[in-house]
Amino acid sequence: MHILVINGPNLNMLGIREPEIYGRMTYDELVDYIVQKAEEANVTVEVFQSNHEGAIVDKIQQAYGHADGIVINPAAYTHTSVAILDALKAVAIPAVEVHLSDVKSREAFRQISYAGQACFHTLMGEGKEGYAKAISLLKLTIEEREQQ
Ligand code: DQA
């Protein structure tokens, strides 16, 4: 089973960026954690980060026929990007939305999620653990669907 993890803009700045919200973990530490959790779950993983909406759309399209599941933290594009929503719908790969922070307790402009509308589950406010839970949930869901 192969899982694609997509991280959107400014997540490469973790460790520097607003530590009171996102903590001190660096982006490299987050990637190491995701890779370790994927290994423990016995799935292969690719972790992709981009600050560019089109690059994220391209990556989702390229996942068609290759990835069994997608974990996506679209970061700020969560709240703006119909293009990312449409790409997720186009490939119809089972997807889980993750946010490090508790988006629902933040600003009004963060209360809409476009990408989340193409995801079967959302995890927020659990920091890096949200990614581990998303991988486990995807694995379980994909296995269940395969048995149907
Ligand atoms: C975020 C929440 C978004 O609102 C924000 O724009 C981000 C990060 C999170 O992981 O908590 O960049 O997706």
Side-chain angles (χ1 to χ4, degrees):
M1 187 178 298
H2 183 64
I3 291 178
L4 172 64
V5 177
I6 298 176
N7 286 312
N10 301 305
L11 290 170
N12 57 314
M13 296 294 283
L14 285 175
I16 299 165
R17 171 190 192 196
E18 299 179 274
E20 67 286 1
I21 296 174
Y22 298 110
R24 296 266 173 209
M25 170 186 63
T26 66
Y27 185 69
D28 286 349
E29 287 166 352
L30 175 63
V31 173
D32 287 348
Y33 175 82
I34 293 169
V35 169
Q36 186 200 320
K37 290 294 160 184
E39 270 171 26
E40 286 170 18
N42 209 20
V43 301
T44 58
V45 72
E46 179 188 1
V47 186
F48 173 82
Q49 190 275 330
S50 179
N51 294 324
H52 305 278
E53 185 176 17
I56 294 171
V57 170
D58 286 344
K59 194 70 189 176
I60 294 167
Q61 290 184 6
Q62 286 156 12
Y64 184 74
H66 297 286
D68 301 298
I70 293 176
V71 175
I72 186 161
N73 181 349
Y77 290 139
T78 306
H79 320 300
T80 62
S81 181
V82 177
I84 291 174
L85 166 63
D86 285 348
L88 289 168
K89 283 183 165 176
V91 297
I93 298 168
V96 175
E97 176 186 25
V98 172
H99 297 285
L100 293 161
S101 67
D102 184 18
V103 176
K104 71 175 178 319
S105 65
R106 297 181 64 189
E107 302 93 326
F109 62 82
R110 296 186 203 274
Q111 300 312 311
I112 176 125
S113 170
Y114 289 101
Q117 294 171 38
C119 298
F120 71 86
H121 194 74
T122 296
L123 291 146
M124 60 172 74
E126 301 195 46
K128 65 183 181 182
E129 280 172 38
Y131 289 85
K133 287 187 181 175
I135 289 170
S136 300
L137 188 60
L138 263 178
K139 191 184 173 193
L140 204 70
T141 303
I142 295 162
E143 283 170 352
E144 276 173 7
R145 288 184 188 181
E146 277 168 3
Q147 279 161 21
Q148 280 165 11

